[in-house]
Amino acid sequence: MPVEPARLELLSALARKVLWLSSWTIHHANHIRPNVDGLKVGGHQASSASLANIMSALYFSVLRPEDRVAVKPHASPVFHAIQYLFGHQTREKLEDFRGFRGAQSYPSRTKDTDDVDFSTGSVGLGVAQTLFASLVQDYVKAHGWMKDRPEGRMIALVGDAEMDEGNIFEALLEGWKHGLRNTWWVVDYNRQSLDAVVREGLWEKFETMFRNFGWDVVIVKYGRLMRAAFTEPGGEALKRWIDACPNALYAALCFQGGASFRKHLQDEIGDQGAVSQLIEKRSDDELLALMSNLGGHDMVSMIEAFESIDHDRPVCFIAYTIKGIGLPFQGHKDNHAGLMTVAQMEKWRAAQNIRPGHEWEKFEGLSQSPAELEAFLAGAPLNRVGRRRLSADVIDVPAQLVFKPAAQMSTQQGFGLVLNELARGDTELASRIVTASPDVTVSTNLGGWVNRRGLFARAEKADLFRSEKIPSTFNWDFSPKGQHIELGIAEMNLFILMSALGLSHSINGERLLPIATLYDPFIERGLDALNYACYQDARFMVVATPSGITLAPEGGAHQSIATPLIGIAQDGLASFEPAFVDELAVIMRWGFAHMQREGGEGGSVYLRLSTRALEQPQRIMTPDLERSVTDGAYWLRKPGPNCDLIVAYTGAVAPEAIEAIGLIGESRRDVGLLSVTSADRLHGGWTAARKLRRDRRGIPHLSHVEKLLAPLPRDCGIVTVIDGHPVGLGWLGSVCGHRVEALGVEHFGQTGTIDDLYRHYGIDANAIIDAAESLTAGAPVRHRKMAV
Ligand SMILES: Cc1ncc(C[n+]2csc(CCOP(=O)(O)OP(=O)(O)O)c2C)c(N)n1
Ligand SMILES: [Mg+2]
């Protein structure tokens, strides 16, 4: 459908205003705001300009309220400018761009207040987020929860160099497997990255690749001026020249201006009759306007391209642009961090009829009446309904999660049993759980759950082995009602899927409780995506096994050392490492509630579990014990008044700690054994309590760990032991000033039995006893563990 002239005029005026406001925001942050010496803003002005027109086309005309967008990180000022025109962003926040509580450098769901759909910043991740968000929308729809809500398109505005990020390709493959729909990726093809000009012919690689994955590809290369010029006599020759011009030269000529274009064109095709005339009849300015009229900078071309899509297959738009268009450094290869000087800005301001002191005024310098522009903005389809961010009710979590107990079992087994019981029941909680695993569903003990709840696919697909009556432990039926999403091996995809599932309450207004299972060492493979999911405040549960060196025969490549520290340091993720299954059940229950708490009160959950089967304690889980488990620690053996040593352990080394404390206890009476279920929660509680005490001077508030350790005599020693990096527990000595011997694993694992490796790395019972003796002057320990 052609774009009517009146609408076009308004859209073009607004796009010019967006370019101005975004550049002014950056300029203001650098040259005008006080106290920002040294806080130079790089990477925004040129990069933003590139997308000002495309985003104006989208936000002011194409987007519908149900669509969701991930904006290229450096186009953040464009996004904020658009929201400012809509009235969703304040002038104060724009003036404070990149400042404390100001508009964020990169669009942030949690820190910005102007309706950011998906955070971006670490390039590549926001792009993949849109793909998984679309799969999640399909999941919600297939489960009958969309009600009358229309399907949204999940749209990413992508830098061409951003496409180098491997996670995008991993996501593409996964999207293809799941029959991806309703996803648009708009590549800002400015042929520049941060450092350089991109390789020739990159668009062909993109085109082939996207088509190969079943996407529609729309190339928007020429703007209206160009298309009109191509129909003039000599136009064909001009088009051939444009098509053959190397990226670097085109960029350089855009920087140099009309005269340089003229010289090159005349030297190379000028003697070809009609084309000379085509060039000569244009002034330098007109020639530059023609040559920089690439598709991405032409409102009509972009609107037509977007509106031409009449199907729900995924679409890649390759929109040709010039980095820094309209600004003095347009096309210059060093422009990523380029900033306009005060003099350049002055000149540009005057050229746009913007009066000094009126730079922030929404419609200053535009020829249309403010009333007309306001009415147009208010009537933009995106603004048709009020709030676009949705919410969902909290799902009830039963008072207790049950499991079939066994005398000896691992926490991984326990996890499978808890989920199996949930799968057998018909609670609302169970119906909202979605599991996913990167090709380790069975080996992470999700088999029982999947057997009962099935795999998710939009179309039914029966398990062939079952239909052929070939015996198999697992039922691999796919259906729209399935609750397990089967993923390929890429851990990046797992975490971005968690990021999408874990935002469903906000995006789709329907709460999901996602659980990811994977091998603990491979958390590091997907770590940036995990961090990204937490940064967006997505809510999910990560269940990782095997962990530490307990999968001893697998060797160093399958053993994890650093993950306990990740668990402590990762913001938005409460991490736990229980030793026993009754603790695990309590933690999972707490976790499902924590995943649903509002704002800073809640978050995601990480369970570092083990495949090592341990003898389970026979005990009653009292409310006190439950609270201690979720607060992070409890006394498995309470120290006496004259205690000179305690052992604090985490997770699968419980038997070593118990044995050591038994042997030490033969000669020293009051020793204690502290079971640490969450070093993260324990440490977090301690820091929070100290801050509270400082803030509310004099009002005592003791954290859980302080209450546990404060009664110990001053010279009591602490041996800490963990199947992971010793720093994970070593900090316990700082709480009340006790000396610590911290045992753990600091080097890549060997192959061997657990006993071999625990002895080798010094986390077995004898190592604990040795550490205890080196730390305290108490009676010598008479017996050691015998070698087996
Ligand atoms: C994972 C990651 N690596 C590096 C960066 C730093 N960085 C930001 S933008 C960018 C490249 C910009 O090129 P492109 O995507 O083409 O966007 P343009 O600036 O051309 O608009 C880089 C390397 C980042 N933000 N995230
Ligand atoms: Mg680029």
Side-chain angles (χ1 to χ4, degrees), residues 95-285:
E95 286 184 352
D96 273 348
F97 177 61
R98 281 171 65 118
F100 188 60
R101 298 201 195 285
Q104 297 287 298
S105 325
Y106 307 116
S108 168
R109 269 185 70 80
T110 50
K111 302 278 188 282
D112 276 317
T113 49
D114 52 352
D115 204 20
V116 173
D117 292 325
F118 300 121
S119 302
T120 55
S122 175
V123 296
L125 301 178
V127 183
Q129 171 83 29
T130 58
L131 182 151
F132 286 104
S134 176
L135 296 183
V136 171
Q137 178 174 262
D138 281 346
Y139 183 95
V140 169
K141 181 167 181 151
H143 285 76
W145 294 322
M146 279 295 264
K147 300 176 199 115
D148 51 0
R149 247 173 41 80
E151 285 177 7
R153 294 164 299 192
M154 304 297 161
I155 300 173
L157 297 155
V158 193
D160 45 2
E162 186 169 12
M163 285 294 300
D164 285 336
E165 287 291 357
N167 81 278
I168 295 183
F169 300 83
E170 297 175 8
L172 268 179
L173 190 54
E174 204 59 56
W176 169 74
K177 291 185 209 163
H178 290 273
L180 179 70
R181 310 180 308 134
N182 293 317
T183 305
W184 287 5
W185 288 356
V186 186
V187 180
D188 174 10
Y189 196 60
N190 61 21
R191 293 165 284 172
Q192 277 189 256
S193 60
L194 198 157
D195 285 340
V197 176
V198 306
R199 290 285 178 282
E200 298 304 322
L202 185 62
W203 64 273
E204 282 173 298
K205 302 292 166 209
F206 289 164
E207 185 182 22
T208 328
M209 181 179 73
F210 278 98
R211 288 209 195 285
N212 196 15
F213 283 116
W215 288 51
D216 190 0
V217 178
V218 177
I219 298 178
V220 196
K221 180 163 182 180
Y222 317 106
R224 237 177 347 150
L225 292 181
M226 278 191 178
R227 281 184 277 148
F230 297 157
T231 63
E232 290 177 31
E236 270 305 307
L238 178 72
K239 181 167 185 288
R240 272 197 304 277
W241 185 89
I242 292 176
D243 288 347
C245 184
N247 291 338
L249 177 61
Y250 208 92
L253 294 176
C254 286
F255 172 70
Q256 288 172 316
S260 300
F261 262 117
R262 181 182 310 282
K263 184 167 179 328
H264 266 268
L265 287 167
Q266 272 165 347
D267 288 353
E268 290 163 34
I269 52 172
D271 55 353
Q272 295 175 18
V275 73
S276 300
Q277 238 198 323
L278 188 156
I279 299 163
E280 275 157 21
K281 78 174 186 203
R282 287 169 164 88
S283 68
D284 282 355
D285 283 351

